[in-house]
Structure formats: C-alpha cells, structure tokens
Amino acid sequence: MARLLRTQTGKTKCCSLHTVAFLLIILVLVLFGWNVSPVLWGQWLRAPPKPLQLRQGALASPSGSPSPAFHGDGWRALPGPPSSTVTFSTSFPSTGFPSLRSVMQGIRKAGADRNDVLVLTPWLAPIVWEGTFNTDILNEQFRLRNTTIGLTVFAIRKYVVFLELFLQTAEKHFMVGHRVTYYVFTDRPAAVPRVPLGEGRRVVVLEVLGGPRWQDVSMQRMVVISRFCKQRFLREVDYLVCADVDMKFRDHVGVEILSPLFGTLHPSFYGAARKDFTYERRPRSQAHIPRDQGDFYYMGALFGGSVAEVHRLTSACHQAMAIDQANGIEAVWHDESHLNRYLLDHKPTKVLSPEYLWDQQLLGWPRVMKKLRFVAVPKNHQDIRAT
Amino acid sequence: MQGIRKAGAELLYPQPKVLTPSRNDVLVLTPWLAPIVWEGTFNTDILNEQFRLRNTTIGLTVFAIRKYVVFLELFLQTAEKHFMVGHRVTYYVFTDRPAAVPRVPLGEGRRVVVLEVLGGPRWQDVSMQRMVVISRFCKQRFLREVDYLVCADVDMKFRDHVGVEILSPLFGTLHPSFYGAARKDFTYERRPRSQAHIPRDQGDFYYMGALFGGSVAEVHRLTSACHQAMAIDQANGIEAVWHDESHLNRYLLDHKPTKVLSPEYLWDQQLLGWPRVMKKLRFVAVPKNHQDIRAT
C-alpha cells in the first residue's frame, strides 16, 4: 500500500485562538444536540398517514365474489403504520446487521441504517459499508451456487515476506465457508510459506519474472492477470479478487463484495472533491481524466469481479499502458491511474467502502469506519524495495 | 489523441458525495444489496447512456380482457410520454378484443404488438392466467425480441418518469399499502396447504402483482414457477388469497429480486393521497367502478 502515503496537502494550521473557538462551538453544539435530539428525530418520524376511510366492505376479502364497495383488486387500504413499527437505529449494531425484522418493519424509517454515508452510486451500484448488508442472506445466495473465489496476489523479491500474515489472516476473514483459491504470483516460489488451510481452500503458486522497479511490478500485474484469466481462471473460479500483498485481513471480507465488476474507494480520497483526485491529468496519457470528471478515486490495491469482467479490465489497462509506453509517458500512479480511467468508462456494479482498504497508522480510525477489514501492514519502503 | 480513447463530448454531472446519503428518510438498499429505487438515488443521464450503449429493448406486457380494453388508450398515451423514452420499446397487448385496441401515435423505435388470448371467466382468473401466458410467450417471442420485460396492470397511467433505472435481472415493486407495515400484517397467503404460504415470521417485503419484471430469462422462470404453483394449488382445491400476487410474493422471497421499486412506481392517489416520502408519483391507478368494469 505504498500509495497510501499520499495524503491531501493540508491547509496551514489554524492559530490556537481559532482552535479554542472551534472547540467551544463543538461543545455548545453537543450540549444543545442532546437536548433537542428527540425533536430532531421526531421530525424525521413522519406521522403515519391518517387512517383511511375505507369503503363499505372493509379490508382484503379473501378471493370470492368481487365486492363492489371495496377496492378489491389489490389496492388494499390499510391505516397507516402504527408508530411502533417505524424504527431507526440510534446505536450502531455490533454485529453485521440489525435484526431483519426491525429493518423490514421500517422501510419508511427515520435514518436508514447508514444515514451518514452514500450507499448507492448514481448508477445504482451498492457502496458496501457495514450495516448495509446481511451476511446470512448473502452467504446462502452464494453457497447455493457453489461459488468459487480466486484471490490473486503478487509477491516479488522481498515482498514474499508479507505472504504468511496475508494468507493466515485471509484464512480467518476472507470468504470463510466458501471455496477459495489463492493465486500467488512470485519469482521466489520456494519462499511461499505453507499456511494451514480450511476445507475447500487451496494455494496455487505461479512463477513469474519480477519487473525491475516496483512501478513495473505493479503495472505488470495487469498483463499477468489478463493472461491467466483465459489460461486458468475462467475454468477454475467464478469471481476474481485482485489484491496487494503488503496487507492483512483484520475483519470480515465476504461475498458482499462480489459482483460483475467492483472497485474500492481509496481511503485518502473518499471525502475529497474530484478536482483533487490524483487522476492522471496530462492529456497525452491514455489514463487522462479532466478535472470536471470522475466519480470516485479507486485504489489499485483491491479490485475484482467476474473472470470475464476482470479479463476485460486488465486487458484494457495493459493495452492503455502499452500505448503510453510507446508514447514515452508513464501515468502518475501507474496501473491505478489506468484503473481509474477504466472504471470511469465502465462503471463498477459494486463499490467497496474504505473499510476494505485502510491504513490505520496513517489515517487512524474515524467514526465513519465501523470496521477496518483489510489494512496495510507497516513497512519500511526503502528497505522492502531494495532488490 | 491516439489510441483507444473515444472522441466526442463526455457526460458531465455533479460528483457523487460519499459522505452524503442520497435519501436519509428511506431504505435504499435491501439486506442483500439490491437497490430500492427512489427519486434522488439515481442519475438518469448516466443510466440512459449505459442502456443506450447496449441498444436495450424493453417489452411492456399488459392484459386488456373484455371491458378492460377501455384503459388501453390512456395507458399507451401516457407510456409514450414517460416510459423508457429514448429507448426501443415493444408494447405487448394481450386481449380478447383485438379490434378494440386503439391506435396511439408512437415515438421512433416503439411499436405495439397485439396478441389475442381468451379471457378467464373471473377477474381472478384473468389475473392469474397472465402468469402462464407471459411464460409461454417468453420462449415463443420475447427471448428473441426484447432484453427486458416489464409486466404491468392495464388500469393505470404513467404520470412521471419510469425509465431504465428499473431494469435489472429481476425486480418487484413495493405495494403502496404495506411499505410501512410489519411483516406479520402483510397479506401473504397464510394457509400452509397453499404453495404460496409464508409464515408470519418470514418475508422481506410485500410486493404488488401490478408491476414486476426483469430479463426475459428471469421473468420466464418467475412466471413458470408461479403458474406451476397455482396449478398445484388448484389440484389441491385451494386458491391463494391474492391469487398470482400471493405466488409472486412466495417466489420473490425465495429468489430475491436484484432491484426493488419504491411505491413511486405503483400508487393510488385517490386512496393514499400524496405523503411526503413520495417525491414523485410515476405510475398510478386510474379511478374505476369495479362493479361496472368486471361485469362481462
């Protein structure tokens, strides 16, 4: 996760007087908020519609002769929902999801389960945050289809040192209960650790040559994954997840991420304006995105989808990088720049929140992150990149 | 610029804001991560571009048996204004009175196909027979002619945008009388003898039979399954309380839809008014005299 070191350039620090004033304002707002919160919530708890005047004949009559005096073809008139059925969660559920019952009772509810974040892109792709999904329902759906997931990871030269923790933690948190194949691409196959694996899970070690610089290694992943899609993945797995290796799993990463094509929000940019995204800005590059365009800034460290879609994505990125190379230009963030161009043109069918790609050392643990699922492993960049 | 970049103007639109929910008053995602389609959740331009790129064709099925032919004109006229405008559309009008199907001026890339069927004896039979007819025509016709099917009641009119935001492999629509109700109060079929039976502690939503759809393959599966289930019930001497709608609900519990439409897409203003949570009323009931329209 080398790229995580990019943070937005901060504004110059405020003078201490501003800071104190700011803190005082916050204090006042908090105190004020406690007192008026019932009122605020109450506004959102819209009063149920008035009990409707039913025509003679009352409610849904069982099938039989159509009653002339009642709206009998399905448009049943019911009094509005009793206020007890309109629920909202003020506290955050500690497990994956509030009871299905309480959620289903309150479609028309004050504050959806996540009222602090966007959970749907403008093209109606889910943005996956804790609280939006029920793991049991999803697991059942994917187990019914005997879904197999491939996880690709590249460990070139010294990066093999990350493999053990990566695989061990994946065994605890990644697609548990489903069939998994880890595809470990490495130039040091003997250095791949033997990690105890759960049932239905296996490691496939594939030998590759490592590019000279870390940027080359990063970019070569595109052509290698693309090639292996046809050669292997198409026949062996249903979905591919392509991840950086200098990471570990610390919480659930499951089938909620699976869809034809998904990208992950870069944890340094999820709150940024698009003009500040570190897209490639030079028009000469195939990865170029102008400042008034772009949906999100996706990170190259985690993307995936169906084998067919990952094949299309990696092939397109590889081609684009080859054209750039022929034109003597290298995109500012390499494969990640091209990934962003591709996902602008081919919008993902799911977007993963930064829960799925985090760096706690760099970014702490903000309130909006209810779980930190897949996180950077601290490393010495100079050290690890020296051949 | 060389290479694979496409020429021409790119679509410009406001940046989606990750820290700002699109609707803070309603659920916009089911627990299985299917979008619930409400106004404010989607950008029509982006979606239109996606679906036009694939030259998407949408089939809209509607049944007009006996006196129900009287609803066709307004249905088709308002569909021309609001339904999938800019995309290829085929209206499949199933009727026992083909001569009574009105000629309505149609936009480009849109056509009406009239298909003659026999109408079942009671309105409940007409409602239920839609399942077997749609199922049969999926293989016979729809698979070759359209990408998506939308199956709608005819005694309705469009009064606002109904577009490609609804399209997905399988979708159902929230019944406007039950979107706030507890599942124990849903009018599911409760008798265990019926194939449509759903116990009181189960169920996601109460879907209305008046609007459902999806890919041709998925609609074929749904309608076939419902038809089979209704046939089994008939053989066992039982008829589900809300007929095809009961079976639809059982099916969508077992085969969760990939999109759910909010009650904006199925409303009755006369009965339910215009609550604040409905930002648009898109597809609404046309007032009718039940006794009159159902008399042969």
Side-chain angles (χ1 to χ4, degrees):
Chain A
M1 282 253 286
R3 270 88 78 208
L4 208 39
L5 286 177
R6 276 178 300 154
T7 51
Q8 292 180 262
T9 53
K11 296 196 165 48
T12 53
K13 281 212 169 65
C14 301
C15 69
S16 55
L17 184 59
H18 284 164
T19 313
V20 170
F22 179 71
L23 285 170
L24 273 173
I25 291 168
I26 295 297
L27 193 61
V28 167
L29 282 173
V30 167
L31 290 170
F32 186 70
W34 277 119
N35 287 328
V36 302
S37 55
V39 175
L40 287 174
W41 285 120
Q43 255 182 334
W44 285 10
L45 270 171
R46 207 161 282 104
K50 293 195 269 279
L52 296 151
Q53 288 300 104
L54 301 176
R55 292 184 218 143
Q56 186 190 14
L59 292 176
S61 72
S63 60
S65 55
S67 158
F70 104 94
H71 226 65
D73 62 346
W75 293 95
R76 268 98 68 211
L78 273 191
S83 52
S84 61
T85 65
V86 180
T87 62
F88 55 89
S89 44
T90 46
S91 66
F92 212 80
S94 55
T95 54
F97 203 71
S99 79
L100 205 57
R101 179 184 206 98
S102 72
V103 169
M104 291 313 111
Q105 279 175 346
I107 294 174
R108 217 196 70 194
K109 65 213 298 268
D113 286 291
R114 290 300 296 259
N115 60 3
D116 55 341
V117 289
L118 189 67
V119 300
L120 215 47
T121 70
W123 59 92
L124 295 176
I127 306 177
V128 187
W129 297 89
E130 179 63 9
T132 58
F133 59 94
N134 178 308
T135 305
D136 294 333
I137 298 179
L138 288 165
N139 272 333
E140 190 177 79
Q141 287 187 323
F142 283 88
R143 276 307 304 147
L144 264 167
R145 288 178 262 160
N146 198 23
T147 307
T148 308
I149 302 103
L151 176 54
T152 69
V153 72
F154 284 70
I156 302 296
R157 295 188 287 273
K158 282 192 178 172
Y159 280 76
V160 292
V161 73
F162 293 106
L163 280 172
E164 187 164 32
L165 189 62
F166 182 96
L167 293 170
Q168 277 174 346
T169 56
E171 280 299 295
K172 281 212 193 74
H173 298 289
F174 181 78
M175 306 290 172
V176 175
H178 299 269
R179 298 172 54 93
V180 171
T181 304
Y182 301 99
Y183 295 103
V184 178
F185 293 91
T186 182
D187 59 344
R188 300 183 181 179
V192 176
R194 288 189 184 285
V195 169
L197 300 175
E199 191 175 329
R201 305 168 78 97
R202 58 177 186 139
V203 173
V204 171
V205 181
L206 299 157
E207 192 166 353
V208 293
L209 292 169
R213 310 167 302 151
W214 69 263
Q215 298 92 330
D216 299 305
V217 174
S218 192
M219 291 190 290
Q220 100 184 90
R221 296 186 297 178
M222 289 297 184
V223 68
V224 172
I225 292 169
S226 166
R227 195 182 309 139
F228 276 82
C229 277
K230 294 211 135 176
Q231 239 181 49
R232 229 189 143 122
F233 301 153
L234 208 55
R235 288 177 286 115
E236 295 186 1
V237 301
D238 302 303
Y239 293 94
L240 274 172
V241 178
C242 307
D244 272 11
V245 72
D246 50 352
M247 308 282 294
K248 69 183 184 197
F249 294 86
R250 64 178 296 296
D251 212 324
H252 171 96
V253 173
V255 293
E256 70 280 356
I257 74 174
L258 300 179
S259 83
L261 181 62
F262 69 85
T264 311
L265 298 180
H266 194 301
S268 297
F269 294 96
Y270 63 92
R274 58 165 49 130
K275 62 175 176 59
D276 298 324
F277 291 165
T278 55
Y279 290 147
E280 172 55 62
R281 298 299 188 184
R282 293 166 293 173
R284 276 206 312 127
S285 167
Q286 297 300 301
H288 166 60
I289 298 176
R291 288 205 186 264
D292 58 355
Q293 289 177 38
D295 303 310
F296 305 105
Y297 193 79
Y298 304 99
M299 191 166 186
L302 187 66
F303 64 90
S306 67
V307 177
E309 287 295 335
V310 171
H311 177 57
R312 276 185 208 114
L313 180 155
T314 51
S315 303
C317 287
H318 167 57
Q319 271 192 317
M321 293 190 298
I323 292 171
D324 269 10
Q325 189 177 44
N327 290 334
I329 187 169
E330 186 173 272
V332 59
W333 285 107
H334 327 103
D335 47 301
E336 183 175 276
S337 302
H338 293 278
L339 175 75
N340 273 278
R341 179 72 235 187
Y342 185 86
L343 291 178
L344 178 59
D345 296 330
H346 308 80
K347 296 190 187 316
T349 51
K350 272 185 187 168
V351 174
L352 308 188
S353 67
E355 295 169 359
Y356 289 85
L357 262 188
W358 197 254
D359 186 325
Q360 204 172 346
Q361 204 180 28
L362 199 72
L363 303 164
W365 195 326
R367 190 127 64 101
V368 72
M369 301 298 155
K370 306 306 180 187
K371 288 192 173 185
L372 304 180
R373 303 171 189 274
F374 189 48
V375 299
V377 169
K379 71 180 194 270
N380 180 312
H381 282 82
Q382 208 170 7
D383 217 19
I384 205 80
R385 286 170 179 168
T387 327
Chain B
M1 188 137 49
Q2 295 173 314
I4 55 177
R5 297 295 302 283
K6 62 177 192 269
E10 307 283 350
L11 194 61
L12 294 178
Y13 47 84
Q15 178 189 355
K17 292 185 162 61
V18 172
L19 297 173
T20 308
S22 44
R23 288 292 296 258
N24 58 11
D25 55 343
V26 289
L27 192 68
V28 300
L29 211 48
T30 71
W32 58 93
L33 295 175
I36 306 178
V37 186
W38 297 88
E39 180 64 10
T41 58
F42 59 93
N43 178 311
T44 306
D45 293 334
I46 299 178
L47 288 165
N48 271 334
E49 191 177 76
Q50 286 186 322
F51 282 89
R52 273 310 302 145
L53 264 167
R54 289 179 261 161
N55 198 22
T56 307
T57 309
I58 302 102
L60 177 54
T61 69
V62 72
F63 284 70
I65 303 296
R66 294 188 288 274
K67 282 191 178 171
Y68 280 76
V69 293
V70 71
F71 293 107
L72 281 171
E73 186 162 33
L74 189 62
F75 182 95
L76 293 170
Q77 278 173 347
T78 55
E80 280 299 294
K81 283 212 194 74
H82 299 288
F83 180 78
M84 308 288 172
V85 175
H87 300 270
R88 297 172 55 90
V89 171
T90 304
Y91 302 100
Y92 295 103
V93 178
F94 293 91
T95 182
D96 57 346
R97 298 182 182 181
V101 176
R103 288 190 184 285
V104 168
L106 301 175
E108 189 175 330
R110 303 167 78 98
R111 58 179 187 138
V112 173
V113 171
V114 181
L115 299 157
E116 192 167 352
V117 293
L118 292 169
R122 310 166 302 151
W123 69 264
Q124 298 92 330
D125 298 306
V126 174
S127 191
M128 291 191 289
Q129 99 186 89
R130 296 185 298 178
M131 289 296 183
V132 68
V133 172
I134 291 169
S135 165
R136 195 181 311 138
F137 276 83
C138 277
K139 296 211 133 175
Q140 238 181 50
R141 219 179 154 132
F142 301 153
L143 207 55
R144 289 177 286 113
E145 295 186 2
V146 301
D147 303 302
Y148 294 93
L149 274 171
V150 177
C151 307
D153 272 11
V154 73
D155 50 352
M156 308 282 294
K157 69 181 184 200
F158 295 86
R159 63 180 296 295
D160 210 325
H161 172 95
V162 174
V164 294
E165 69 279 358
I166 74 174
L167 301 179
S168 85
L170 181 61
F171 69 84
T173 311
L174 298 180
H175 195 300
S177 297
F178 295 95
Y179 63 94
R183 57 159 54 127
K184 63 175 175 59
D185 298 324
F186 291 165
T187 54
Y188 290 148
E189 172 55 62
R190 298 300 187 183
R191 293 166 294 173
R193 277 206 312 129
S194 166
Q195 299 299 301
H197 167 61
I198 298 176
R200 287 205 185 264
D201 58 354
Q202 289 178 37
D204 303 309
F205 305 105
Y206 193 79
Y207 303 98
M208 192 167 185
L211 186 66
F212 65 88
S215 67
V216 177
E218 288 294 336
V219 171
H220 177 57
R221 277 185 209 112
L222 181 154
T223 50
S224 304
C226 288
H227 166 58
Q228 272 192 317
M230 293 189 297
I232 293 171
D233 268 10
Q234 189 177 44
N236 290 334
I238 186 169
E239 189 173 89
V241 59
W242 285 104
H243 327 103
D244 46 303
E245 184 174 277
S246 303
H247 292 278
L248 175 75
N249 273 278
R250 178 74 235 186
Y251 185 87
L252 291 179
L253 177 58
D254 296 330
H255 308 80
K256 297 194 187 312
T258 51
K259 270 185 188 167
V260 175
L261 308 189
S262 67
E264 296 169 358
Y265 290 85
L266 262 187
W267 196 254
D268 186 324
Q269 205 173 346
Q270 204 179 26
L271 199 70
L272 304 164
W274 195 328
R276 193 129 58 103
V277 72
M278 301 298 153
K279 305 305 180 190
K280 288 191 172 187
L281 305 180
R282 305 172 187 273
F283 189 48
V284 299
V286 169
K288 69 180 196 270
N289 179 313
H290 284 80
Q291 202 169 13
D292 216 21
I293 206 79
R294 286 171 179 165
T296 328

